[in-house]
Amino acid sequence: MRKYMTPKTILGIFMITGIFTIPACLESPKEAQMQTTISSEGEVTDKTRFDSPYHTSLNTTIKGEKCWDLQLIDDEGKTIQLADLLKHSQPKLIFRFSGFDCDLCYKQVLEICNRLDSLYAKDLLVVGTFESDREFRLLKATYAPKLRFLNIKSTRPLNTTLDALDKPYFCKVDENLNISNVYLPDKKYPGHTREYVEGHFKRK
């Protein structure tokens, strides 16, 4: 004899499945709301900005600090002092990295900076640390032919506090070698890096 479900059984099943179905339906508007905070590039637009509390704290920490007046070597092998590059000029933007940093991070940043207008590109100094001159020149030719590349051959840091972070970073440096407006790029948020870099030149 085939068994049939009683009305009470059917009601019980409906109540149980309803417990799982209703919350699932309620999640849809929440997911839709979360979508609105994500840009077309997949970046969360209201988090991890370059003016985040972390960067504010970092800029407070380095307030009053200077860059060392290091001897730098350009991609043509010419030697120049950092102070000479900053003399009688507007504060320049420096992107500092090392060949030992995450290469995905600094290569992405170089590509972003290389798309700058040529008028601005000359005011951005890319300061790296490479053991191999060949690697240094190859990186410039491949990722940032428009930018001015400079290599630190000494073991002295550009700035003790910032170099100790072991991360690529940006900073603004004036003719007295004073540092300000530090920003640590994150490869997950390339749009923020573009905004930071372009913002520096728009404020001139």
Side-chain angles (χ1 to χ4, degrees), residues 52-186:
S52 68
Y54 175 72
H55 289 104
T56 301
S57 174
L58 183 59
N59 277 290
T60 301
T61 300
I62 60 93
K63 191 172 183 178
E65 291 196 21
K66 296 175 177 281
C67 285
W68 292 101
D69 184 17
L70 298 180
Q71 190 177 78
L72 306 170
I73 300 174
D74 66 17
D75 55 302
E76 296 179 352
K78 296 176 182 176
T79 301
I80 189 168
Q81 294 294 132
L82 177 60
D84 291 336
L85 292 170
L86 301 167
K87 197 177 293 181
H88 310 305
S89 74
Q90 293 286 334
K92 290 189 183 294
L93 190 63
I94 291 181
F95 175 53
R96 168 76 173 119
F97 73 102
S98 163
F100 300 104
D101 292 331
C102 162
D103 64 335
L104 293 177
C105 298
Y106 65 72
K107 286 176 181 176
Q108 180 192 73
V109 172
L110 292 175
E111 289 178 325
I112 289 170
C113 293
N114 194 61
R115 289 195 287 269
L116 281 171
D117 186 289
S118 297
L119 181 66
Y120 297 144
K122 65 182 178 59
D123 285 329
L124 172 64
L125 305 179
V126 178
V127 180
T129 301
F130 289 91
E131 293 182 351
S132 165
D133 291 336
R134 180 181 177 279
E135 182 185 3
F136 177 70
R137 288 193 297 269
L138 182 62
L139 188 72
K140 172 183 168 61
T142 306
Y143 292 95
K146 284 168 51 177
L147 305 181
R148 184 159 194 183
F149 262 54
L150 300 152
N151 196 5
I152 298 177
K153 298 296 283 189
S154 69
T155 56
R156 177 177 280 185
L158 183 68
N159 171 268
T160 306
T161 303
L162 296 176
D163 280 30
L165 297 173
D166 288 326
K167 294 180 179 179
Y169 64 85
F170 282 95
C171 63
K172 186 169 70 174
V173 184
D174 65 19
E175 63 177 340
N176 297 313
L177 299 174
N178 295 309
I179 296 175
S180 63
N181 202 22
V182 176
Y183 168 64
L184 276 62
D186 187 328

